[in-house]
Amino acid sequence: MIRGTTPVIVLNLPMELPFDTLYVTFQQKGQTVIEKTLSDVLVEETKIAITLTQSETLALDSAEIVSIQLRGKVGEKAYASKIVKTLVSDILKDGEI
């Protein structure tokens, strides 16, 4: 992931789930930096697409790994993905363009 960009993060699920509640959390150093809910994402069958804004990716620290996890609920069943970790690349010209 690169700071200052508008990436679309796609999470692939093992099965289609009609989520009632959904959270996708992005953390660095144990602190939540970005959190998306069901109304913020696009769910298509087994894929969940999360679009981040320039402002959101600029809030990420390029010196730290970002951890990403999905948690959701269907009826009374709660689900969680494994935590995915990825690097954050910096940019030369800071700020939104």
Side-chain angles (χ1 to χ4, degrees):
M1 185 175 326
I2 302 172
R3 293 181 67 249
T5 63
T6 56
V8 177
I9 310 299
V10 179
L11 304 176
N12 294 298
L13 305 179
M15 63 187 144
E16 193 172 343
L17 293 168
F19 287 106
D20 299 317
T21 306
L22 179 79
Y23 295 95
V24 181
T25 305
F26 295 76
Q27 284 191 349
Q28 288 188 309
K29 297 185 271 185
Q31 299 294 315
T32 297
V33 181
I34 304 165
E35 188 160 80
K36 298 289 191 170
T37 63
L38 188 56
S39 63
D40 300 320
V41 304
L42 177 62
V43 180
E44 290 184 344
E45 297 176 5
T46 61
K47 295 184 187 291
I48 296 176
I50 305 108
T51 302
L52 300 180
T53 65
Q54 285 188 64
S55 176
E56 288 169 330
T57 59
L58 284 168
L60 297 171
D61 184 346
S62 63
E64 298 292 330
I65 289 175
V66 63
S67 299
I68 307 165
Q69 185 178 42
L70 174 146
R71 292 196 61 211
K73 202 167 176 187
V74 178
E76 293 302 313
K77 288 194 171 217
Y79 296 88
S81 70
K82 292 183 179 178
I83 297 171
V84 176
K85 296 182 183 221
T86 190
L87 298 173
V88 178
S89 296
D90 210 355
I91 52 177
L92 296 178
K93 177 174 176 41
D94 207 15
E96 291 188 35
I97 57 173

